[in-house]
Amino acid sequence: MFKNQIREKVTLLYGQEQAGQICESILTLVEKWQGKTPAYQPWVDQTSSYLITYGDSISQQGQAPLATLKTFADKHLKGVLSNIHILPMFPYTSDDGFSVVDYRAVDSDLGDWSDLNALAENFDLMYDCVINHISQSSDWFQGYLTGEEAYQDYFIVSDPALDHSSVTRPRAFPVLTPFQKADGETVHIWTTFSPDQIDINFKSPKVLLESIDILLMYAANGGRSIRLDAIGFIWKVLGSSCIHLPQTHEIIKLWRIILDHTAKGCLLITETNVPHQENISYFGNADEAHMVYQFPLPPLTLHAFLSQDSRVLTKWAEGLTLEAAANLQAASKTTYFNFLASHDGIGVRPTEGILKDSDRSMMCREVERKGGRVNYKNNSDGSQSPYELNINYLSALTEPADSTQQKAAKFLAAQSLLLSFIGVPAVYYHSLLGSENDIQGMQESGINRRINREKLDLSVLETELMEEGSLRNIICTELTRLLRIRSSQAAFSPQSKQQVLNLSCGLFALIRGEDEDTVTYVMNLTEQPQQASLLYSGYDLVSGRKLNSEFTLEAYQFVWLKHH
């Protein structure tokens, strides 16, 4: 069965003639890694949650940053968050880690594989597989330029005179970059994201085999989850959009077959910052990604808070619930990877077909007013449109003049939505720690995304977290408390049902679970008190109070109402 599944996918991708040899090579890799993967839990539940962080987000002089991360996580996060997503921890040359020099090595500035194994003692880990592109300084690309035979089909050469206008452009860079080979020949190489991020040619079976070996290595070294970065772009056909092509989906399905067989419990998570229907196509028929990033959630939540109006968010969530009932609940091994903030900005494209242009323009104005930046993408007609909002999520939600208590209330209200929504929640380290815009870091680097990537000193951070009444203290204390409550309630399992309630434009509400394991979530996303009217009374898990079926929520207050 397993061999037949592999054969089918390989034949679809590379043809009958090459299939036999490729399948033999894949089975050799499977044998190499068989039995070397830790005993991962078979699936996720209400206790599953992720911290998103760089390997050196928190540092301490004289200690490897990955060891410092373990020190912090063991003290503050054990029993609170089950998984830690370490953003690319490999040697790199640009894009804060996303131009990888060597997929199989840990950046020596962070530590080594032993540090990751130590971190994995108390947490499941998630690794990035940045397999669409590799640094131009990598051995692979340098070998290509110097004429090494092994790498001559690893990259994509194209003629700049051909029409590339239909190619999806996520950033404002040319699709091709000229390079000179050692023999003097000038070649134009496909570079979707930047001149330092050289796209890899998956039409080469050797590249496919490299990717399988890398994925299995990650799974064997503590990578319970593997994030497939920018995965929608891995197959190119000139004249097409070069995103979400059928071959891309078939490759992910092949990886899934291999991982399910060789590294049971290892999860594939696709990162595709695109409109919603395109994004969820990576569920396949429950045979592709285990989880997909819930990209509309960050911008739609921000829009609801900025407009003080939940109607768009509620309507979208209603549609999502129907979709979940039809597609996800029947498949016990697929769900959403929910987040509000991340190392990247807040994607705008996922709101296409959901928000009006005027709504997006409002959000852009608000972000810029609050010190953030707006990144634009090039369109095929020569125009530009907003692609990403670069701002710290807390700073985006709040006003600079707000009091500490007001900032905390607004931000925790948004985080409560993240923790309540169907799927698995992922909390960015700056969200957990109550950080705000790092304007200095953005300006000094000239990189807009650095506004939300500030590196923190452990001793300074610990002092700030201990300061009673500080923003860091309030948010970290309360958010960890909410995460503990959440993990105790079966209603918040990704497999639990979700029903969206349409109460009023100032409230957002969900019912999670059924029968005795039912929790109703109601959140006031406005600065004015709001009346809530339900069909039942209950016990509020957040405040510890009993509530009647009708109650008032103060500004940015929320409840988790456990039904009597």
Side-chain angles (χ1 to χ4, degrees):
M1 177 69 172
F2 172 61
K3 292 180 181 179
N4 289 340
Q5 288 177 314
I6 291 176
R7 181 79 183 219
E8 177 190 352
K9 297 302 178 190
V10 169
T11 302
L12 277 171
L13 288 162
Y14 300 102
Q16 187 69 43
E17 189 174 331
Q18 296 189 84
Q21 182 58 53
I22 296 170
C23 287
E24 282 185 28
S25 298
I26 290 174
L27 292 174
T28 299
L29 289 174
V30 167
E31 184 178 353
K32 170 185 173 182
W33 292 108
Q34 193 83 53
K36 296 184 179 179
T37 303
Y40 296 128
Q41 290 296 314
W43 188 226
V44 291
D45 59 20
Q46 68 273 15
T47 69
S48 304
S49 53
Y50 288 72
L51 176 76
I52 305 171
T53 183
Y54 285 97
D56 61 350
S57 293
I58 303 171
S59 61
Q60 182 171 244
Q61 191 168 5
Q63 186 177 46
L66 286 172
T68 304
L69 178 59
K70 175 177 171 57
T71 299
F72 178 83
D74 286 350
K75 178 179 178 181
H76 294 280
L77 306 181
K78 189 175 178 181
V80 175
L81 289 153
S82 60
N83 296 257
I84 298 178
H85 171 202
I86 304 172
L87 291 154
M89 69 275 191
F90 317 105
Y92 71 98
T93 50
S94 64
D95 201 18
D96 284 347
F98 287 90
S99 56
V100 176
V101 172
D102 184 348
Y103 292 117
R104 295 177 171 92
V106 176
D107 186 346
S108 59
D109 289 340
L110 300 179
D112 55 31
W113 284 109
S114 67
D115 293 306
L116 290 165
N117 291 333
L119 185 60
E121 291 171 2
N122 292 322
F123 301 91
D124 284 336
L125 303 182
M126 175 162 146
Y127 297 153
D128 263 285
C129 188
V130 192
I131 204 69
N132 176 72
H133 46 261
I134 196 168
S135 168
Q136 63 169 283
S137 299
S138 64
D139 287 346
W140 290 9
F141 191 62
Q142 289 303 307
Y144 167 79
L145 291 179
T146 57
E148 289 184 47
E149 184 178 347
Y151 301 111
Q152 291 312 297
D153 62 350
Y154 271 41
F155 305 99
I156 306 165
V157 180
S158 192
D159 184 347
L162 297 174
D163 183 5
H164 295 81
S165 62
S166 61
V167 176
T168 300
R169 305 298 304 120
R171 297 185 189 167
F173 288 108
V175 70
L176 301 179
T177 300
F179 291 92
Q180 189 171 55
K181 299 187 74 173
D183 62 5
E185 179 190 7
T186 296
V187 288
H188 291 82
I189 303 292
W190 206 289
T191 53
T192 297
F193 286 87
S194 81
D196 188 40
Q197 292 165 301
I198 315 298
D199 285 46
I200 299 170
N201 179 25
F202 271 88
K203 291 180 181 177
S204 164
K206 289 187 289 185
V207 165
L208 176 75
L209 295 171
E210 291 269 24
S211 73
I212 293 168
D213 189 53
I214 290 164
L215 286 168
L216 290 174
M217 178 195 172
Y218 291 171
N221 282 276
R224 193 267 166 112
S225 302
I226 299 174
R227 175 184 183 268
L228 302 176
D229 176 71
I231 202 62
F233 296 91
I234 63 172
W235 197 277
K236 280 79 174 176
V237 175
L238 197 61
S240 76
S241 65
C242 296
I243 187 171
H244 314 317
L245 297 186
Q247 296 90 336
T248 295
H249 290 279
E250 293 303 323
I251 288 173
I252 299 171
K253 290 174 184 177
L254 175 61
W255 288 337
R256 170 80 178 260
I257 291 166
I258 293 167
L259 283 170
D260 282 353
H261 177 271
T262 315
K264 295 186 188 302
C266 181
L267 307 176
L268 285 178
I269 302 174
T270 50
E271 186 263 347
T272 50
N273 190 357
V274 293
H276 182 65
Q277 290 302 319
E278 296 173 39
N279 186 35
I280 62 172
S281 70
Y282 287 87
F283 282 130
N285 186 25
D287 59 353
E288 211 163 326
H290 295 88
M291 289 189 262
V292 298
Y293 270 69
Q294 185 62 283
F295 275 106
L297 191 61
L300 293 182
T301 299
L302 179 61
H303 171 265
F305 275 78
L306 294 179
S307 65
Q308 303 270 285
D309 190 332
S310 66
R311 284 177 293 182
V312 174
L313 178 64
T314 296
K315 183 179 179 182
W316 168 75
E318 287 173 339
L320 190 72
T321 299
L322 293 173
E323 175 184 275
N327 300 331
L328 300 183
Q329 298 305 318
S332 61
K333 296 295 177 69
T334 45
T335 194
Y336 299 103
F337 188 84
N338 295 328
F339 70 107
L340 291 182
S342 75
H343 62 292
D344 287 340
I346 302 164
V348 179
R349 280 207 70 206
T351 68
E352 291 176 12
I354 303 172
L355 290 179
K356 300 175 183 176
D357 286 344
S358 58
D359 293 321
R360 282 188 282 272
S361 296
M362 178 273 289
M363 293 170 68
C364 290
R365 288 194 305 271
E366 285 294 293
V367 163
E368 290 179 329
R369 181 177 69 83
K370 294 175 178 180
R373 301 287 187 272
V374 179
N375 275 355
Y376 291 85
K377 73 178 186 75
N378 291 335
N379 301 318
S380 57
D381 62 2
S383 64
Q384 289 192 325
S385 56
Y387 175 75
E388 183 180 83
L389 309 176
N390 294 125
I391 191 168
N392 169 280
Y393 210 83
L394 189 154
S395 296
L397 286 169
T398 60
E399 292 292 333
D402 283 345
S403 68
T404 297
Q405 293 292 340
Q406 287 173 318
K407 288 180 178 180
K410 290 179 184 179
F411 188 66
L412 288 167
Q415 296 300 307
S416 72
L417 193 157
L418 170 66
L419 301 189
S420 305
F421 214 77
I422 188 170
V424 176
V427 181
Y428 190 46
Y429 76 104
H430 278 310
S431 295
L432 180 74
L433 301 174
S435 301
E436 297 183 90
N437 281 340
D438 180 18
I439 300 293
Q440 181 179 349
M442 177 182 66
Q443 292 176 340
E444 289 179 353
S445 66
I447 299 170
N448 289 348
R449 286 176 170 175
R450 292 273 179 90
I451 196 170
N452 198 30
R453 295 179 177 180
E454 184 180 3
K455 309 297 185 185
L456 305 172
D457 177 84
L458 179 62
S459 59
V460 174
L461 175 61
E462 291 281 13
T463 300
E464 292 173 345
L465 287 172
M466 291 295 291
E467 185 184 342
E468 196 74 27
S470 70
L471 193 58
R472 288 205 193 283
N473 173 266
I474 295 171
I475 287 176
C476 188
T477 300
E478 186 61 11
L479 197 46
T480 54
R481 186 178 79 89
L482 292 172
L483 282 159
R484 288 184 188 276
I485 295 172
R486 182 189 187 277
S487 68
S488 70
Q489 299 298 316
F492 292 122
S493 166
Q495 277 64 59
S496 291
K497 292 181 179 179
Q498 173 172 295
Q499 178 187 348
V500 179
L501 301 179
N502 200 335
L503 301 183
S504 74
C505 64
L507 298 173
F508 182 78
L510 304 167
I511 299 177
R512 295 296 313 277
E514 55 187 330
D515 302 327
E516 71 274 7
D517 287 322
T518 303
V519 173
T520 297
Y521 165 68
V522 188
M523 183 261 291
N524 177 3
L525 50 75
T526 78
E527 55 192 21
Q528 302 297 329
Q530 299 286 329
Q531 291 295 121
S533 180
L534 304 176
L535 298 176
Y536 32 73
S537 59
Y539 173 80
D540 177 23
L541 298 169
V542 178
S543 66
R545 296 186 297 116
K546 290 183 178 179
L547 293 177
N548 295 322
S549 58
E550 294 190 4
F551 52 91
T552 300
L553 287 176
E554 299 302 325
Y556 304 106
Q557 185 184 354
F558 54 90
V559 296
W560 278 336
L561 201 63
K562 183 86 169 180
H563 294 194
H564 281 316

